Amino acid sequence: MAFKIVVPARHSSSRLPGKPLLDIIGKPMILRVLDRAQQAGADEVWVATDHPGIAEVVEKAGGQVILTSADHPSGTDRLAEVATRLGWADDVVVVNVQGDEPLIPPALIGQAAAELAADPEAAIATACHPLESPEEFFNPNVVKLVLDARNRALYFSRAPIPWARDAFAADRSVLPAGLPAYRHIGLYAYRAGFLKRYSTLAPSPLEQWEALEQLRAMAHGYPIRVMVLDHAPPAGVDTAEDLERVRRVFDLAEVSR
């Protein structure tokens, strides 16, 4: 199936300034991500950035890049600018691949696109995996979600949902068997028409209280399709420790060749 990929890449980062340009075994991070995105089977792959230095690196490597506004409050707004400026039709599927995910499996990107294509009424597709650890379930930094019978999201929350009333009244040290506890994975596929409308949607109180952007779409009635994975994909890069972990992975891959 035909779909597009956009890789938003911001230079500013509170924890790792200049993150997309940090070296991973001889290549800037943004090019490692671009390599993965280009293996996913999309008909177009674009890097969207507000930084000329990132744009120059991508162009020199032969990638497609578009300079976007520096004022976007979210990655979704940046994707909306790309979809509008490139004139993509409303039914085009666009996958957002974060610029700090150098280990993302290419097949997972294509799977997200296919998931959205399979649900014509959905505006967005995303992913989750089962939670097994009570520490993660009760951790507000871990975003949880609950699903309906069609694998659409009913709600996203930093709170522990669903709440096993009787089981947790007795014991919170383990998750009860069969509890449909899922951790959200921040991979998104969108229809271009939704992206173009997104900036016109008023922020919802739930989005602001939970600090979860996807709740804006749900508050305005846009269905979100969710694919359930067996396990979490490799983590992205948020900290210096994450960067060293990813470098070791690529270093081992080079050594094994």
Side-chain angles (χ1 to χ4, degrees):
M1 59 161 289
F3 66 98
K4 322 285 189 189
I5 294 173
V6 178
V7 183
R10 292 171 59 250
H11 189 267
S12 60
S13 169
S14 57
R15 288 186 281 187
L16 278 178
K19 182 163 57 170
L21 298 179
L22 295 176
D23 179 78
I24 299 178
I25 316 301
K27 265 190 179 183
M29 186 186 306
I30 187 60
L31 296 187
R32 293 292 187 185
V33 178
L34 188 59
D35 286 346
R36 297 292 177 118
Q38 289 172 337
Q39 297 171 41
D43 52 333
E44 294 182 46
V45 179
W46 290 84
V47 173
T49 184
D50 56 4
H51 192 270
I54 296 173
E56 182 181 3
V57 165
V58 173
E59 287 176 337
K60 282 185 177 178
Q64 297 186 105
V65 64
I66 183 167
L67 275 169
T68 57
S69 169
D71 299 326
H72 289 309
S74 72
T76 309
D77 292 289
R78 196 175 306 280
L79 262 70
E81 180 184 346
V82 174
T84 301
R85 286 174 55 186
L86 295 179
W88 289 339
D90 285 355
D91 60 351
V92 166
V93 172
V94 184
V95 182
N96 177 2
V97 175
Q98 297 293 345
D100 58 4
E101 298 278 354
L103 296 176
I104 187 169
L108 181 58
I109 302 171
Q111 190 178 347
E115 195 76 19
L116 183 56
D119 190 342
E121 296 176 355
I124 305 171
T126 189
C128 70
H129 70 89
L131 271 174
E132 299 177 356
S133 159
E135 290 77 18
E136 288 188 315
F137 185 70
F138 291 106
N139 183 347
N141 295 316
V142 174
V143 178
K144 277 74 66 175
L145 70 160
V146 288
L147 306 175
D148 70 9
R150 293 181 292 177
N151 272 27
R152 289 182 179 175
L154 288 169
Y155 192 60
F156 295 82
S157 183
R158 298 182 182 279
I161 57 172
W163 185 258
R165 186 194 64 175
D166 296 338
F168 289 144
D171 183 5
R172 298 187 189 180
S173 66
V174 295
L175 297 183
L179 182 71
Y182 295 107
R183 179 178 191 160
H184 179 230
I185 298 167
L187 173 67
Y188 291 99
Y190 303 93
R191 298 195 193 280
F194 169 80
L195 286 172
K196 296 171 192 175
R197 291 188 292 274
Y198 178 79
S199 62
T200 70
L201 302 177
S204 75
L206 289 173
E207 168 195 1
Q208 294 170 328
W209 282 111
E210 294 264 17
L212 294 175
E213 180 186 339
Q214 60 270 40
L215 291 175
R216 184 184 310 184
M218 296 189 69
H220 288 274
Y222 290 95
I224 299 179
R225 174 85 168 205
V226 183
M227 56 181 177
V228 181
L229 308 179
D230 292 334
H231 51 78
V237 177
D238 288 321
T239 66
E241 291 76 18
D242 292 336
L243 180 62
E244 289 308 311
R245 168 180 52 80
V246 169
R247 282 173 172 163
R248 288 194 295 272
V249 171
F250 278 96
D251 196 23
L252 287 171
E254 291 291 332
V255 169
S256 64
R257 285 183 180 177

